[in-house]
């Protein structure tokens, strides 16, 4: 049944054929530093004739950065995306996309005016057909070239400042693997020198907003690929797990019977090839990952460094994280104490909130536990468990937002590590998104989590509790009004009764109502009981 679904999907969508929009990778685009493609609906740049958007200068934040990156002008990701483009589409209203051809998250329809709320479910709550469809979609994405995006296979300098474009096609699944590699790769300093202490998506405030956007865009690409507008990524609730519950052939792949580092031949993913995992090779060549295949997907859950990661996260660990009131603190990196972000990411002890470089907990613990490509930051998205894991991490972020209701100003505006300030554009996304744009409730972005809907403290805190507090303040007035109303009602009822009795006494005998026949009486009695 699963193979039948997969073949049908692949046959239907193979012809429907990122990072850099394909329409913006000519030498003209790169030399002029402009990415304002036409919208197919009216043929004008950014759909300007239809009021969808316009081509505008990119306005970069000038807020000061933290001291973690001591260089300037050596990495093309600095002040993203200005090395490649300084003019892009700025979309109006609810429109979004590199050419303003899409709707913002949470909207749909031809004019992007219809609100929608999708629900991400626990993977174990999916029906058999839903689960098989999810696995089939993953495989379809792995075998379908992205129609809209390509990846650079050389740095901007290697492209002779844009005059010699170096881009390559990539399938939709690997596009996101490549983006996760690119955002976290080392800085190439020339010769054989690299700077390793840099990451535009981890170890700093942008960790949670960046991965939130990453999942939303991945979801959106699958929706476009399959035509399934209601598709959502499932999550794996790993609280108190004693093993990898999803590591079975029915779900994300069991263990190979002869080689514990490989997946079972019966798994959907046993034939998958990984990319972007040879980091030292790229550094020594001073080159980028070009997305060529580098071997099978590796995973060996449980055979990890138990001194560094003695156990998987517990429910009490998650609850402690949620109790932390500060989103970020101190140096705003992996040394931050009592930081919700740093504790959830796994660089601080989930029992104390104190940074501990010797331990990998919470989010990091799951990556380490898998003991394969998931354990390597740059190549971790090769394993599809990455999606399930980060969906659950995002749900914890969502719980924190609902519990503490922070203003956007709580997200650091300045002095965070490079790329992580509130107004910094997130690498390597085009169209452009700022970190602070995703420091809001998921429901404002058009999605929710099933287990948060079942017991939503936000509903009580936001709606019921204020009503109860208001009622308590006016309770004496309500009681008084009720007493007065009861007295008036009783007096009015007595007066009406007296008048009716007097009226009945005056009726002539021929106008008095007749007794009902037996059938009519039982009928009325039956209706009264109903």
């Amino acid at each position: 049944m699963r193979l039948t679904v997969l073949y049908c999907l692949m046959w239907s969508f193979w012809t429907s054929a990122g990072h850099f929009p394909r329409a913006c990778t000519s030498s003209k685009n790169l030399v002029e530093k402009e990415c304002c493609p036409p919208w197919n609906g009216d043929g004008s740049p950014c759909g300007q004739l239809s009021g969808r958007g316009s081509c505008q200068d990119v306005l970069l934040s000038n807020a000061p950065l933290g001291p973690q990156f001591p260089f300037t002008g050596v990495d093309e990701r600095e002040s993203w995306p200005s090395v490649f483009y300084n003019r892009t589409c700025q979309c109006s209203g609810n429109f979004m996309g590199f050419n303003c051809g899409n709707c913002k998250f949470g909207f749909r329809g031809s004019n992007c005016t219809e609100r929608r709320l999708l629900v991400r479910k626990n993977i174990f709550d999916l029906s058999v057909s839903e689960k098989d469809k999810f696995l089939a979609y993953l495989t379809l994405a792995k075998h379908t070239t992205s129609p809209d995006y390509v990846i650079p296979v050389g740095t901007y300098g290697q492209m002779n400042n844009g005059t010699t474009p170096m881009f390559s096609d990539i399938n939709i699944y690997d596009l996101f693997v490549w983006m996760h590699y690119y955002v976290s790769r080392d800085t190439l300093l020339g010769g054989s020198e690299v700077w390793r202490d840099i990451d535009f998506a981890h170890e700093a405030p942008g960790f949670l907003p960046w991965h939130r956007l990453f999942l939303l865009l991945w979801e959106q690409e699958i929706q476009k690929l399959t035509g399934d507008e209601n598709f959502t990524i499932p999550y794996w609730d790993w609280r108190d797990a004693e093993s990898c519950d999803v590591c079975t052939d029915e779900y994300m792949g069991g263990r190979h019977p002869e080689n514990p580092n490989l997946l079972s031949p019966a798994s959907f993913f046993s034939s998958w090839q990984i990319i972007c995992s040879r980091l030292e090779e790229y550094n020594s060549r001073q080159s980028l990952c070009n997305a060529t295949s580098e071997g099978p997907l590796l995973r060996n859950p449980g055979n990890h460094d138990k001194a560094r990661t003695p156990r998987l996260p517990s429910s009490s660990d998650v609850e402690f994280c949620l109790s932390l009131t500060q989103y970020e603190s101190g140096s705003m990196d992996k040394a931050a104490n009592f930081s919700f972000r740093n504790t959830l990411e796994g660089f601080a002890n989930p029992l104390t909130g104190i940074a501990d470089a010797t331990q990998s907990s919470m989010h990091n613990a799951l990556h380490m536990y898998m003991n394969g490509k998931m354990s390597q930051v740059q190549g971790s998205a090769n394993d599809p468990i990455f999606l399930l894991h980060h969906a659950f991490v995002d749900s914890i972020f969502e719980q924190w937002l609902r519990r503490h209701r922070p203003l956007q100003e709580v997200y650091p505006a300045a002095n965070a590590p490079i790329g992580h300030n509130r107004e910094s554009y997130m690498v390597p996304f085009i169209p452009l998104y700022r970190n602070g744009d995703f420091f809001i409730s998921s429901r404002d972005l058009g999605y929710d989590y099933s287990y948060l809907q079942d017991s939503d403290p936000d509903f009580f805190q936001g709606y019921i509790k204020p009503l109860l507090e208001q009622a308590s303040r006016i309770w004496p007035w309500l009681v008084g009004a009720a007493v007065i109303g009861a007295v008036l009602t009783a007096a009015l009822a007595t007066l009406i009764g007296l008048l009716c009795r007097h009226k009945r006494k005056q009726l002539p005998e021929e106008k008095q109502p007749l007794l009902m026949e037996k059938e009519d009486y039982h009928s009325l009695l039956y209706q009264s009981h109903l």
Side-chain angles (χ1 to χ4, degrees):
M1 177 61 185
R2 290 188 298 179
L3 290 176
T4 302
V5 173
L6 173 61
Y7 289 144
C8 289
L9 283 169
M10 291 184 70
W11 176 258
S12 301
F13 299 110
W14 187 268
T15 56
S16 64
H19 168 55
F20 284 80
R22 189 182 295 274
C24 296
T25 54
S26 70
S27 58
K28 183 176 186 294
N29 291 122
L30 294 171
V31 170
E32 295 180 357
K33 291 179 175 282
E34 182 172 290
C35 182
C36 296
W39 174 54
N40 292 337
D42 62 14
S44 67
C46 313
Q48 184 169 0
L49 293 178
S50 300
R52 299 179 79 95
S54 60
C55 189
Q56 296 183 21
D57 292 342
V58 174
L59 300 178
L60 297 173
S61 169
N62 58 5
L65 303 172
Q68 292 86 351
F69 187 66
F71 305 98
T72 301
V74 299
D75 193 309
E76 62 192 27
R77 298 168 295 178
E78 296 175 48
S79 301
W80 182 260
S82 60
V83 168
F84 294 97
Y85 307 109
N86 53 33
R87 284 177 62 80
T88 63
C89 287
Q90 301 294 309
C91 304
S92 307
N94 295 330
F95 300 113
M96 186 182 82
F98 60 82
N99 62 355
C100 301
N102 298 332
C103 296
K104 278 186 177 179
F105 302 117
F107 292 89
R108 64 180 170 189
S110 58
N111 293 313
C112 301
T113 54
E114 302 173 35
R115 290 300 303 251
R116 70 170 180 175
L117 183 71
L118 302 179
V119 179
R120 292 177 180 172
K121 299 179 182 179
N122 188 320
I123 190 168
F124 294 117
D125 291 338
L126 299 181
S127 67
V128 173
S129 61
E130 287 175 327
K131 182 260 298 176
D132 288 345
K133 183 169 65 173
F134 170 60
L135 298 177
Y137 285 178
L138 285 168
T139 307
L140 179 63
K142 187 75 169 178
H143 291 87
T144 305
T145 300
S146 172
D148 295 325
Y149 292 95
V150 292
I151 60 167
V153 293
T155 64
Y156 190 74
Q158 290 166 346
M159 296 185 204
N160 297 316
N161 297 324
T163 58
T164 310
M166 298 170 64
F167 294 92
S168 175
D169 287 338
I170 192 168
N171 69 63
I172 291 172
Y173 187 93
D174 285 350
L175 168 66
F176 286 85
V177 177
W178 192 94
M179 285 195 288
H180 195 266
Y181 146 79
Y182 184 80
V183 75
S184 56
R185 69 174 177 84
D186 300 332
T187 292
L188 307 177
L189 296 174
S192 59
E193 297 298 314
V194 298
W195 181 260
R196 300 181 189 275
D197 297 329
I198 186 170
D199 196 313
F200 290 83
H202 303 85
E203 304 179 14
F207 167 67
L208 292 168
W210 191 94
H211 286 84
R212 169 165 281 193
L213 173 60
F214 180 88
L215 294 182
L216 279 167
L217 291 173
W218 194 89
E219 224 165 40
Q220 185 182 74
E221 286 299 307
I222 297 299
Q223 291 164 0
K224 287 162 57 179
L225 169 66
T226 63
D228 184 353
E229 290 188 350
N230 297 318
F231 167 77
T232 56
I233 299 169
Y235 62 87
W236 172 31
D237 184 346
W238 35 248
R239 290 173 295 185
D240 305 312
E242 297 181 359
S243 62
C244 180
D245 301 337
V246 295
C247 295
T248 65
D249 288 341
E250 183 183 2
Y251 289 96
M252 309 310 291
R255 199 186 303 271
H256 195 287
E258 298 176 3
N259 185 342
N261 294 315
L262 298 176
L263 299 186
S264 162
S267 163
F268 258 83
F269 311 106
S270 61
S271 63
W272 277 30
Q273 291 285 303
I274 63 171
I275 64 169
C276 300
S277 65
R278 298 173 180 169
L279 310 178
E280 294 306 319
E281 180 182 322
Y282 312 142
N283 286 345
S284 64
R285 296 200 321 250
Q286 294 283 298
S287 64
L288 301 182
C289 164
N290 60 11
T292 55
S293 298
E294 297 175 350
L297 179 60
L298 303 178
R299 185 198 301 156
N300 193 345
N303 292 317
H304 60 290
D305 181 356
K306 294 180 177 60
R308 186 170 191 84
T309 305
R311 60 178 176 82
L312 292 175
S314 67
S315 297
S316 59
D317 293 338
V318 172
E319 187 54 38
F320 177 82
C321 281
L322 292 171
S323 72
L324 294 169
T325 58
Q326 296 182 88
Y327 177 74
E328 199 55 271
S329 66
S331 55
M332 296 184 280
D333 54 22
K334 60 183 178 181
N337 295 323
F338 309 116
S339 155
F340 165 73
R341 185 277 313 161
N342 202 37
T343 307
L344 177 56
E345 191 170 357
F347 293 108
N349 190 310
L351 302 178
T352 64
I354 301 297
D356 186 351
T358 68
Q359 298 286 294
S360 292
S361 58
M362 298 304 292
H363 152 267
N364 290 346
L366 268 292
H367 282 279
M368 299 299 293
Y369 175 85
M370 291 301 164
N371 192 34
K373 289 307 161 189
M374 274 278 282
S375 302
Q376 181 193 65
V377 175
Q378 289 90 340
S380 57
N382 275 293
D383 193 328
I385 289 180
F386 178 97
L387 299 168
L388 310 181
H389 170 43
H390 272 276
F392 191 64
V393 171
D394 182 72
S395 78
I396 299 173
F397 176 37
E398 181 60 23
Q399 285 190 73
W400 187 87
L401 289 170
R402 294 185 190 183
R403 180 176 298 190
H404 299 282
R405 294 177 168 276
L407 300 174
Q408 266 190 311
E409 286 71 21
V410 167
Y411 189 98
N415 300 314
I418 186 170
H420 288 266
N421 283 340
R422 186 197 311 150
E423 299 301 316
S424 297
Y425 289 118
M426 287 189 267
V427 177
F429 302 116
I430 297 174
L432 306 179
Y433 305 92
R434 300 182 191 271
N435 289 303
D437 295 340
F438 295 85
F439 194 71
I440 59 176
S441 173
S442 68
R443 288 180 296 200
D444 294 330
L445 296 167
Y447 73 100
D448 202 350
Y449 289 93
S450 57
Y451 82 102
L452 298 185
Q453 286 190 317
D454 294 340
S455 55
D456 188 355
D458 188 53
F459 179 76
F460 178 79
Q461 293 290 335
Y463 299 96
I464 304 300
K465 188 176 180 180
L467 289 176
L468 292 177
E469 290 174 349
Q470 185 178 10
S472 68
R473 289 194 295 270
I474 64 173
W475 182 249
W477 296 96
L478 293 175
V479 172
V483 171
I484 294 171
V487 171
L488 291 175
T489 301
L492 185 59
T494 301
L495 179 61
I496 291 173
L498 290 172
L499 289 173
C500 288
R501 267 204 307 276
H502 179 69
K503 187 76 173 176
R504 280 200 298 271
K505 288 180 180 178
Q506 293 179 341
L507 280 174
E509 187 176 349
E510 64 272 16
K511 290 189 178 180
Q512 301 234 353
L514 300 173
L515 291 174
M516 288 181 289
E517 292 186 3
K518 191 173 184 179
E519 293 78 11
D520 294 331
Y521 174 77
H522 283 297
S523 175
L524 181 60
L525 187 65
Y526 176 73
Q527 294 174 28
S528 299
H529 284 308
L530 285 178

